[in-house]
Amino acid sequence: MQLGTRWTPGDEPPKAVPDAVVRGIRSVDDSIPGDDLGQPRPRWTLTWLEGRPIAELDTGIIVTLGHDGEPVVTHDADDEFA
């Protein structure tokens, strides 16, 4: 595993993030409600596992690439009871 970088939703993802993963990230970013109370926003962490990008939001949402090259959005709780 190779640790990448972190950024805040709504900010531009790092250039190393493949376009398909950026599409998945933006779909998640668009679903995050605004916070009128000024609470800190969760942050994305980019890592690489066996050469594949994995973007994980602090809330447990994960964006990876499927075998077809399209973004796959899951939540880490999806695997808890598998």
Side-chain angles (χ1 to χ4, degrees):
M1 179 183 283
Q2 176 186 354
L3 186 60
T5 187
R6 290 177 56 83
W7 71 97
T8 303
D11 291 351
E12 190 65 30
K15 299 264 186 239
V17 180
D19 290 340
V21 175
V22 171
R23 287 196 314 271
I25 289 168
R26 289 202 172 120
S27 72
V28 173
D29 286 355
D30 291 345
S31 71
I32 298 173
D35 181 10
D36 295 335
L37 300 177
Q39 297 296 310
R41 293 186 290 170
R43 297 199 49 160
W44 287 103
T45 300
L46 174 66
T47 55
W48 297 85
L49 182 61
E50 297 179 3
R52 296 182 63 203
I54 301 169
E56 183 171 0
L57 195 59
D58 290 341
T59 61
I61 295 173
I62 299 168
V63 180
T64 58
L65 285 178
H67 294 291
D68 60 358
E70 290 301 309
V72 176
V73 179
T74 58
H75 193 281
D76 62 1
D78 293 347
D79 295 329
E80 259 182 51
F81 301 103

